[in-house]
Amino acid sequence: MHHGNGTEDIVAGDERILMVSFFQDGIYPFNGGVPLGTNMVNLPIPAYTRGEAIRELITANWIPRLEEFKPEMIFISAGFDAHREDDMGQLGLVEADYEWMTRQLVAVAEKHCQGRVVSCLEGGYSLSSLARSVAAHIRALADV
């Protein structure tokens, strides 16, 4: 839900790194709409957007750039606060959306970097939806 401005500050302009992200537009930290470097694919998402629309944006924007970039490793900042039950934001993802995103990233990793993926839990404020979303994410990472 939140823009990864700290990560963006660190990697902006480093063409060895491609950062792809989505976040709720107009919410803290109120930036990200204009990427700080050409190595960024930032997708500001309007409040109340549901998973299918976000999937379409990822398919149209992230995947082509990742395919072109051919990563050697994928690092996932796994935040689950875009879940529809998380009241910190107003995005409409569900567990199946997180699983789908993870499977897309794993497919890119299998194709370009021998399946190398590192995932770090970043957050989520609703413990019930966080637990279910993390479980879906891990199942997708483990291909089960």
Side-chain angles (χ1 to χ4, degrees):
M1 175 202 45
H2 299 291
H3 172 239
N5 59 309
T7 303
E8 185 178 55
D9 285 345
I10 293 167
V11 305
D14 187 337
E15 297 300 325
R16 299 171 302 168
I17 299 168
L18 174 65
M19 178 179 166
V20 298
S21 69
F22 76 90
F23 50 89
Q24 184 176 322
D25 195 19
I27 200 166
Y28 182 84
F30 310 108
N31 59 14
V34 177
L36 298 180
T38 58
N39 63 322
M40 308 280 159
V41 180
N42 292 351
L43 301 176
I45 307 291
Y48 307 106
T49 300
R50 298 222 173 236
E52 186 59 38
I54 294 172
R55 289 182 191 205
E56 290 174 10
L57 288 167
I58 288 170
T59 299
N61 295 279
W62 285 10
I63 303 304
R65 283 293 300 274
L66 285 165
E67 290 290 344
E68 177 186 322
F69 186 72
K70 297 178 178 66
E72 294 178 17
M73 179 174 260
I74 294 179
F75 293 88
I76 301 172
S77 295
F80 299 96
D81 49 359
H83 195 283
R84 70 178 177 197
E85 293 176 18
D86 199 312
D87 60 4
M88 289 294 285
Q90 295 86 36
L91 292 178
L93 296 184
V94 296
E95 296 84 351
D97 298 313
Y98 289 114
E99 181 177 352
W100 179 87
M101 280 186 267
T102 305
R103 290 193 187 281
Q104 302 312 300
L105 294 173
V106 167
V108 171
E110 291 293 335
K111 182 174 180 181
H112 295 291
C113 54
Q114 300 170 327
R116 291 185 292 247
V117 176
V118 174
S119 180
C120 180
L121 180 61
E122 291 285 333
Y125 302 96
S126 166
L127 295 183
S128 177
S129 64
L130 173 62
R132 295 189 317 269
S133 299
V134 167
H137 177 64
I138 291 171
R139 281 193 305 273
L141 286 171
D143 194 27
V144 295

